[in-house]
Amino acid sequence: MKIQNIKYSIPLVLAVVVLVVFRFPDLNSSITACESDFLAIQKIDFDSILQSKSPFFSGLISLGANVFGCNLLFLRILSFVFVTLSIIVVYKFANYFFGLQCGVISASLLTVQNIFIIQSGLVVPDFMLSFFIIIAFYYYFREKYVATFVFLVLGLLTSSITIAVCIFLILVSFLKHITCKNEDIVKPVFLSFFPILIFIVLNLVFYQNIENWDFSSEDYLDKLLKYLYFIFVGQCRSFLLPVVVAAVLTAFIRKEKYSQATQIIFSLLIFVLVLVLFLAFLNYKESFSLPAIAILCIAIGYCIGFLNTDYVYKYLITSILIIIFSIETYYTIMQTKQGLQVNETEIINYQTIQRY
């Protein structure tokens, strides 16, 4: 960002201050229930790592624990690196395709989302997954398919939910080929499908994530509604839905003027629906919907950034949203703080692991 553009970063600075105020005081708090599975793997045991819920993340945490010791604060800071990377990649995505103001607004709104702040100080793979998915989209829409392939593979090693991204990008490639006859289809389709083959081979040879999938269609509609509720309403996120609806309507009205940007936004919003369908079908935990919330923040940033007004008014709207989302975050933290804590037995077990 150029020196003369520093004034455009004010909302992002405000959002980061909110994140620091809410999260840093709790970085050294007791181990939480959602961290226990990953903190249990402290030795570099490849069998345990490969059979964990997130092999790449577990391997990274295990490596960090062996190099720097079993320090919970350090491991949370290591995890916080991907919080920073998530903010950066959302900024770069929106900045590259929609402009500087859209990038700042999108990253700012993501930073103050309550799920983003609550999960940001925990040793969980959610941010790593979100980072890999968003950056895969970033390189795909820039037609850098080799880089897309690399991050899809890393995403699959973090969580099998990345298969939804692979399938979606294959469908988008076919659609682009149909609408644009000169559009190359072989390279993007192959490099989007090949990570799935790698994932299947790794599962057959090393670990059994596929065997742990829950393909039950029983109560599928209830599961679907559960994820939709979590994304748009859950954790006091009641203000996100009307803002997203306003963003979509605005993008639709402007579709002739900003056709390429609008196509990208609508592609991302369709992916949100695909992701929710995939989450409900395989019964994943709700926090894996973080990439969907990141995409919704990009859509809102696109909507506000292209308003036909001065940047001061755009940032005033953004600041109001930051305040509203911060209030939602405060109430969410108050409600979930006790629920995140594990019982004394689990804390003792983690302390026992530290001694060996």
Side-chain angles (χ1 to χ4, degrees):
M1 187 179 292
K2 297 179 181 178
I3 298 297
Q4 58 265 36
N5 292 331
I6 290 295
K7 61 183 179 181
Y8 294 120
S9 65
I10 293 173
L12 185 55
V13 172
L14 176 62
V16 170
V17 169
V18 172
L19 173 64
V20 170
V21 169
F22 274 126
R23 210 65 194 101
F24 264 70
D26 292 330
L27 277 180
N28 204 25
S29 60
S30 300
I31 179 177
T32 61
C34 53
E35 297 175 292
S36 55
D37 289 337
F38 303 103
L39 291 173
I41 305 174
Q42 296 294 325
K43 297 179 179 179
I44 301 184
D45 180 357
F46 288 105
D47 288 336
S48 299
I49 291 173
L50 290 171
Q51 293 180 21
S52 70
K53 297 177 182 178
S54 179
F56 186 74
F57 182 77
S58 297
L60 183 65
I61 293 301
S62 176
L63 179 63
N66 278 269
V67 173
F68 299 100
C70 302
N71 185 299
L72 182 59
L73 176 60
F74 169 78
L75 295 178
R76 282 177 171 168
I77 292 175
L78 180 64
S79 182
F80 201 83
V81 170
F82 283 92
V83 175
T84 306
L85 291 175
S86 297
I87 297 172
I88 291 172
V89 75
V90 166
Y91 166 78
K92 284 187 66 67
F93 186 103
N95 179 38
Y96 183 85
F97 293 109
F98 314 130
L100 173 63
Q101 294 176 25
C102 295
V104 170
I105 295 169
S106 300
S108 302
L109 296 179
L110 174 64
T111 304
V112 294
Q113 290 301 309
N114 43 21
I115 184 175
F116 190 91
I117 291 178
I118 291 171
Q119 297 287 107
S120 62
L122 303 178
V123 186
V124 290
D126 304 26
F127 285 101
M128 180 181 284
L129 174 65
S130 181
F131 168 72
F132 288 144
I133 288 177
I134 301 299
I135 201 170
F137 275 120
Y138 172 72
Y139 283 116
Y140 176 83
F141 287 120
R142 289 190 60 182
E143 298 183 354
K144 296 183 180 296
Y145 300 120
V146 174
T148 304
F149 164 78
V150 171
F151 287 107
L152 286 176
V153 172
L154 292 175
L156 282 168
L157 291 174
T158 304
S159 172
S160 52
I161 198 177
T162 313
I163 286 180
V165 186
C166 299
I167 295 173
F168 180 76
L169 292 182
I170 291 171
L171 295 176
V172 170
S173 299
F174 276 108
L175 184 61
K176 287 172 64 177
H177 180 70
I178 293 171
T179 55
C180 306
K181 298 299 182 181
N182 59 342
E183 189 75 26
D184 178 35
I185 189 173
V186 176
K187 190 174 182 180
V189 168
F190 174 76
L191 291 177
S192 298
F193 179 71
F194 195 57
I196 300 178
L197 293 180
I198 294 175
F199 173 77
I200 292 174
V201 170
L202 288 175
N203 267 274
L204 293 175
V205 176
F206 294 110
Y207 57 102
Q208 296 83 37
N209 275 354
I210 290 179
E211 295 178 7
N212 295 328
W213 283 359
D214 179 10
F215 291 102
S216 174
S217 59
E218 186 178 350
D219 300 326
Y220 180 76
L221 182 59
D222 291 339
K223 294 177 184 176
L224 191 61
L225 292 174
K226 178 184 73 172
Y227 289 105
L228 289 173
Y229 176 86
F230 179 82
I231 292 172
F232 291 105
V233 183
Q235 295 184 325
C236 303
R237 243 185 326 272
S238 54
F239 202 77
L240 184 62
L241 179 58
V243 176
V244 171
V245 171
V248 173
L249 291 176
T250 306
F252 181 77
I253 292 170
R254 289 198 308 262
K255 65 180 180 180
E256 295 299 328
K257 190 175 181 180
Y258 303 107
S259 57
Q260 184 179 9
T262 305
Q263 287 175 9
I264 293 174
I265 284 295
F266 274 97
S267 296
L268 292 175
L269 291 175
I270 291 171
F271 170 72
V272 170
L273 297 178
V274 172
L275 181 64
V276 171
L277 292 171
F278 197 86
L279 287 166
F281 185 62
L282 298 179
N283 201 24
Y284 278 90
K285 66 177 184 175
E286 290 95 330
S287 60
F288 272 15
S289 58
L290 184 59
I293 294 175
I295 288 171
L296 295 178
C297 290
I298 292 174
I300 297 170
Y302 165 78
C303 170
I304 298 174
F306 276 123
L307 288 176
N308 189 22
T309 184
D310 189 73
Y311 84 95
V312 174
Y313 296 103
K314 297 175 188 178
Y315 282 6
L316 179 61
I317 295 172
T318 305
S319 299
I320 293 172
L321 290 177
I322 288 174
I323 293 171
I324 292 172
F325 290 139
S326 299
I327 294 171
E328 290 181 346
T329 298
Y330 173 78
Y331 281 106
T332 305
I333 291 175
M334 293 300 101
Q335 290 178 5
T336 61
K337 211 165 188 179
Q338 294 301 321
L340 283 172
Q341 301 301 317
V342 300
N343 58 44
E344 292 182 3
T345 304
E346 289 175 301
I347 294 174
I348 292 171
N349 288 340
Y350 174 66
Q351 291 172 342
T352 303
I353 293 171
Q354 286 184 302
R355 287 198 295 267
Y356 288 97

